[in-house]
Amino acid sequence: MNLIAQISDTHIRLPGQLIEGKIDTFACLSVCVDRINALPQKPDLLVASGDLADTGSAEEYRRIKTELDRLAVPYCVMPGNHDLRAPMREAFGGSAALPVAESGHLQYAIELEELRVLCLDTLDEGNEGGWLCIDRLDWLHDQLAASRKPAMIFLHHPPFDCGIPGMDAIKLGNPGVLSELLAEHGHVIGLSSGHVHRSVFTQWAGLPACICPSPAHQIHLDMGENTPLSWTLETGGFLLHRVKDGMLAAHVVNGPTPEITKYN
Ligand SMILES: [Fe+2]
């Protein structure tokens, strides 16, 4: 059995800088790290699936690294549309958190006992929506062809609509190429993204597909055609993926570590 915690869209800024003047993303991440460290079963890995930093400055990556280094579990980081590859590589590159070569896309495979974790780089720098170029697709194909071990794919941009028009407009821009590639390989057991700042579950390309919430602000759940994107401070959280015998069960974990009371 493998357990993978997933956090997403931490949007870390510098001390004293609140998003929208109200959202203390660093404090929200701290609550989340405490909760993960208090889990009764320690995850084998934590995947931070993009939008680690809010503006992509080197200082923001240094700040989030201090907090992620508090995790009692190994972690790895992936880029989202708010991230920039160069400063991310500078902060994390070459360590277990970002095991990539000197240049290029920030994608890599991590071997767990029952599972290969494939972290896919969907960042299209300068654009909010995601993209998978031929180089990244070739890499994924090679990874899936190299091993028949069950694999789970993590990517920042969801390849499917969640129903919130403003987010669907900036999802993965070419999901068809990914579904075609996955159809060639029968051993992917699921995929999970971030980006939407809400927990969402569906089936896509015949696979279980999740979207991880943010530990900080959530996107307002409004599917109206012409509704502008809005944010809320409803309780944030993370996902805990349990993989056993090639089957995925994803738990949504919200809020701070709760008080636990045994049944009488
Ligand atoms: Fe985000």
Side-chain angles (χ1 to χ4, degrees):
M1 193 265 287
N2 282 129
L3 285 177
I4 303 123
Q6 180 186 4
I7 63 170
S8 204
D9 298 272
T10 47
H11 288 268
I12 294 305
R13 282 194 173 179
L14 298 185
Q17 295 181 358
L18 305 182
I19 290 181
E20 299 285 326
K22 287 185 182 153
I23 310 165
D24 186 345
T25 52
F26 191 85
C28 295
L29 174 61
S30 290
V31 169
C32 193
V33 167
D34 287 342
R35 179 101 197 242
I36 291 163
N37 285 344
L39 286 171
Q41 285 75 40
K42 190 174 157 185
D44 302 290
L45 176 69
L46 176 137
V47 177
S49 57
D51 285 4
L52 273 73
D54 193 52
T55 72
S57 72
E59 294 79 12
E60 288 174 347
Y61 290 111
R62 278 198 284 276
R63 189 165 192 232
I64 188 172
K65 186 172 185 303
T66 63
E67 196 58 19
L68 294 178
D69 284 346
R70 277 208 310 118
L71 284 162
V73 301
Y75 70 86
C76 63
V77 297
M78 302 170 46
N81 49 294
H82 279 253
D83 293 306
L84 292 170
R85 290 190 187 90
M88 242 183 109
R89 191 184 283 110
E90 192 185 310
F92 296 101
S95 73
L98 189 58
V100 290
E102 286 293 296
S103 62
H105 298 111
L106 303 181
Q107 52 186 25
Y108 49 87
I110 293 178
E111 293 281 345
L112 300 178
E113 185 189 354
E114 280 201 28
L115 183 75
R116 296 188 84 216
V117 172
L118 300 177
C119 295
L120 199 51
D121 179 343
T122 56
L123 168 59
D124 184 18
E125 281 190 11
N127 290 310
E128 289 188 295
W131 193 257
L132 286 170
C133 60
I134 194 72
D135 285 353
R136 285 175 272 188
L137 290 163
D138 282 349
W139 177 87
L140 181 60
H141 171 80
D142 291 348
Q143 289 293 325
L144 291 171
S147 168
R148 296 291 301 167
K149 193 170 172 180
M152 185 167 171
I153 294 174
F154 289 87
L155 69 176
H156 182 70
H157 295 83
F160 54 87
D161 285 345
C162 69
I164 300 172
M167 294 310 298
D168 292 343
I170 55 170
K171 69 176 195 266
L172 182 67
N174 55 345
V177 293
L178 180 59
S179 61
E180 279 170 28
L181 192 155
L182 294 178
E184 296 172 28
H185 303 276
H187 55 295
V188 177
I189 63 157
L191 55 92
S192 195
S193 73
H195 194 44
V196 177
H197 294 228
R198 295 205 71 83
S199 311
V200 183
F201 301 91
T202 189
Q203 189 185 43
W204 181 80
L207 297 172
C210 318
I211 300 177
C212 181
S214 168
H217 49 306
Q218 310 301 300
I219 296 290
H220 177 45
L221 180 54
D222 187 335
M223 301 186 189
E225 270 303 309
N226 300 310
T227 312
L229 276 183
S230 308
W231 55 271
T232 76
L233 284 177
E234 64 196 281
T235 310
F238 64 97
L239 296 183
L240 185 63
H241 303 284
R242 177 185 188 267
V243 176
K244 185 165 170 52
D245 301 329
M247 195 202 82
L248 169 65
H251 296 253
V252 184
V253 189
N254 284 327
T257 307
E259 187 179 331
I260 300 159
T261 308
K262 283 187 184 154
Y263 282 107
N264 286 317

